Amino acid sequence: MSRLVRVSAIGLALGLAVTALPISNIAKAKDNEYKLDYTFASKEAGKAQGTITFTSDVPGEYKVFWSDVNDNNLTKNGVEYTEISTLKVTQASKPEKIELKSSYYAIPENAKKLIVKNSDEEIVDTYEIPDNKIKKYGEKKYDFAVMSDVHYNRYPQESKALPSSADLSVKAFDEALKFNSEIGVNKLFLTGDLSNQGEIDAYNKYNTAIKKYPDMTVYTCMGNHDVSWTKNAVEMVNQFKANVNTKKNTDKKVVDIAGNNLDFVYNEGNDYFVILSQVRARYYKTATLLDDSQITWLNKIFNKYSDKNIYVFFHTYLANYNGDVKTAVGNLVNPAGYTYDLTYPYKAKDEVKFRELLNKYSNVTLFSGHSHWAYDQVKYNPYLMMGNVNAKSSGATLIHVPSLAAPRTIESDTKNRDENFGEKSEATVATRYDKTTVYTGIDYKLKKFMGYGVYEALDGKAVAKENAIKVGKSKISKVSKIKKTSKKSKKYQATVKIKKASNAVKYQVQYSTNSKFKKSKTKTITVNKLKFTIKKLKKKTKYFIRVRAVGYQFYEDIYTSWSGKKKFKTKK
């Protein structure tokens, strides 16, 4: 018996107001009754957030897929998508739901329908996506892949020295590179942790792998394991620099290399890719992951390309905007209370500056790994894979990248996580369009894109460029009131007046008994204090004095040259 079925409103989804769109979906079932509905949480084209509901009078296992107009499983770059979800119908006519909770969930390009298949791979029902929900993404520019936590020499963990043939990460990375090449993805960026403990052998394995694909651009930052606890951090940073990313020195698309010769910028069209390495691996508030010079450099890069699209690759994810680790992009807490809490230390001095930049520059997308969580773990945190640095979604987009070698999962009722090394292998492929980027999870074991791992992030608004400031020069206007500190004192004091300088935030006054200012003393005074007293001067002594103004921009002091010197002499 067959019958007509039609879409019904579902009401509320995920605690958000859900608008039931006035859409009908009429389909014929073969011998049984099925009903596939989709209620969207937004009227905006391309947004997949909402609830998919399936009802069957035949208990069993069913899978829901994205499909093209001809009811074929959807493909991308010639590769099929996996199912969106598997539904187990245990009771006839009882609705089963798939909740797509993230507001970043996207309908893949070229998807026209949903189809549901039974365990015999037969299509039992379809749902036609309304025309007003299908987004025209525009001209495709290119694809790039993002991976994380390859971890050569870490898996299996019980072995301390693994030959290449036994290292499961060798196989995982080789297979991923091969598959990317086959589907035409020739740009690859990694968010760190190539190694187990920064060993040269890990970097040799990595270089051996990427040399097989000379036409593929491959760059990575340092993670905490690459700058780990086995040696001095400076030694490990230098070791990394000497063995990884050496291509950057001759790559014409690398447009800026930081003074540390570690961080750099790769350019593709109007897009800029920033490789930013953490240089320490201690996760407590008084420690830092980045040097001050790195934050200063990053600030200048963000300002320079404030009207462009910027992708940043950095290893450690940030806590949520309110300091919560459990709800951060890149982390979760399961019902048993397990969480991975090695976040970038919230309110550490470098974290504060880094976060400030990410809040300011909405044109930035930050990729991080570190926690290893697999795509399907979004069931514990809807914003595990993608979110924003602040609650208003007005800052940088944050994206979590699973481990390539060991995407972690955890059972809902335990605190025992599964590393899945050798069993799972996941990453992200980004498709760059005119004004947006679509991110799709990829399963290298299945050699398929993930139907449940499609997200979209629009380019943020351009930020007004901040012109480099020019700090005016100051000078010593007058030295007066040269007298004893008190009647009984043997020390003298002098009052110094300086000229105000434009854009100065402070001044440095230097004085010495030597005309070349050897063995000098330097006093720093605030910008509002143009008159002050120097004390503890020796009697009957000639002094030389000068001043310079100090400005501040991009997290660094800007010093003018010293003024001309003045001289004065204390009395007997």
Side-chain angles (χ1 to χ4, degrees), residues 181-284:
S181 178
E182 289 173 349
I183 64 174
V185 179
N186 60 7
K187 291 178 178 58
L188 168 61
F189 301 91
L190 296 95
T191 66
D193 273 7
L194 287 181
S195 64
N196 186 26
Q197 294 183 351
E199 59 278 9
I200 290 290
D201 177 59
Y203 304 147
N204 289 340
K205 291 175 180 177
Y206 168 76
N207 286 323
T208 297
I210 65 176
K211 283 178 181 176
K212 297 175 186 175
Y213 303 92
D215 296 328
M216 186 180 290
T217 295
V218 187
Y219 288 123
T220 183
C221 62
M222 289 187 82
N224 62 301
H225 277 258
D226 302 321
V227 64
S228 194
W229 50 87
T230 56
K231 298 176 184 176
N232 178 277
V234 174
E235 179 185 351
M236 299 191 79
V237 169
N238 288 335
Q239 184 169 283
F240 185 91
K241 285 194 292 187
N243 292 279
V244 183
N245 294 333
T246 54
K247 181 182 176 182
K248 74 178 187 298
N249 299 314
T250 55
D251 189 341
K252 293 182 179 179
K253 289 192 173 185
V254 172
V255 294
D256 196 299
I257 300 177
N260 62 7
N261 199 31
L262 185 66
D263 308 321
F264 58 99
V265 182
Y266 174 88
N267 169 238
E268 183 66 49
N270 286 323
D271 303 329
Y272 292 83
F273 298 76
V274 179
I275 307 299
L276 181 67
S277 288
Q278 65 183 75
V279 293
R280 277 170 290 279
R282 301 297 184 185
Y283 291 95
Y284 48 86

Side-chain angles (χ1 to χ4, degrees), residues 424-441:
K424 285 180 175 285
S425 181
E426 297 180 358
T428 299
V429 169
T431 303
R432 182 76 174 104
Y433 297 97
D434 287 332
K435 296 181 180 180
T436 189
T437 309
V438 175
Y439 302 90
T440 309

Side-chain angles (χ1 to χ4, degrees), residues 141-383:
K141 294 181 176 296
Y142 56 85
D143 292 317
F144 64 93
V146 189
M147 300 179 189
S148 190
D149 297 271
V150 175
H151 279 303
Y152 287 114
N153 296 338
R154 184 173 180 182
Y155 302 109
Q157 292 170 304
E158 61 270 15
S159 178
K160 294 182 179 179
L162 289 168
S164 293
S165 60
D167 188 346
L168 297 173
S169 295
V170 170
K171 182 179 180 183
F173 193 52
D174 284 352
E175 289 182 348
L177 286 176
K178 184 175 184 292
F179 191 68
N180 281 349
S181 178
E182 289 173 349
I183 64 174
V185 179
N186 60 7
K187 291 178 178 58
L188 168 61
F189 301 91
L190 296 95
T191 66
D193 273 7
L194 287 181
S195 64
N196 186 26
Q197 294 183 351
E199 59 278 9
I200 290 290
D201 177 59
Y203 304 147
N204 289 340
K205 291 175 180 177
Y206 168 76
N207 286 323
T208 297
I210 65 176
K211 283 178 181 176
K212 297 175 186 175
Y213 303 92
D215 296 328
M216 186 180 290
T217 295
V218 187
Y219 288 123
T220 183
C221 62
M222 289 187 82
N224 62 301
H225 277 258
D226 302 321
V227 64
S228 194
W229 50 87
T230 56
K231 298 176 184 176
N232 178 277
V234 174
E235 179 185 351
M236 299 191 79
V237 169
N238 288 335
Q239 184 169 283
F240 185 91
K241 285 194 292 187
N243 292 279
V244 183
N245 294 333
T246 54
K247 181 182 176 182
K248 74 178 187 298
N249 299 314
T250 55
D251 189 341
K252 293 182 179 179
K253 289 192 173 185
V254 172
V255 294
D256 196 299
I257 300 177
N260 62 7
N261 199 31
L262 185 66
D263 308 321
F264 58 99
V265 182
Y266 174 88
N267 169 238
E268 183 66 49
N270 286 323
D271 303 329
Y272 292 83
F273 298 76
V274 179
I275 307 299
L276 181 67
S277 288
Q278 65 183 75
V279 293
R280 277 170 290 279
R282 301 297 184 185
Y283 291 95
Y284 48 86
K285 281 190 177 180
T286 56
T288 55
L289 302 185
L290 293 169
D291 286 333
D292 288 345
S293 60
Q294 291 179 281
I295 295 289
T296 297
W297 175 81
L298 188 65
N299 197 342
K300 291 178 179 178
I301 292 298
F302 282 4
N303 182 67
K304 184 176 182 179
Y305 303 116
S306 62
D307 59 340
K308 309 298 183 185
N309 197 51
I310 302 174
Y311 301 105
V312 181
F313 304 91
F314 179 76
H315 182 66
T316 301
Y317 65 92
L318 280 74
N320 207 348
Y321 59 89
N322 58 3
D324 187 358
V325 177
K326 299 173 183 178
T327 59
V329 175
N331 202 25
L332 54 85
V333 57
N334 80 334
Y338 180 86
T339 191
Y340 184 87
D341 59 359
L342 285 182
T343 180
Y344 203 135
Y346 187 62
K347 290 195 174 179
K349 66 175 186 177
D350 55 329
E351 191 269 356
V352 169
K353 292 179 178 179
F354 192 22
R355 188 182 292 272
E356 186 176 87
L357 289 176
L358 295 172
N359 273 301
K360 178 180 178 181
Y361 290 98
S362 59
N363 59 317
V364 169
T365 300
L366 177 71
F367 297 88
S368 300
H370 188 49
S371 61
H372 290 213
W373 294 123
Y375 263 92
D376 63 6
Q377 299 300 284
V378 294
K379 59 190 174 186
Y380 301 125
N381 176 7
Y383 292 91

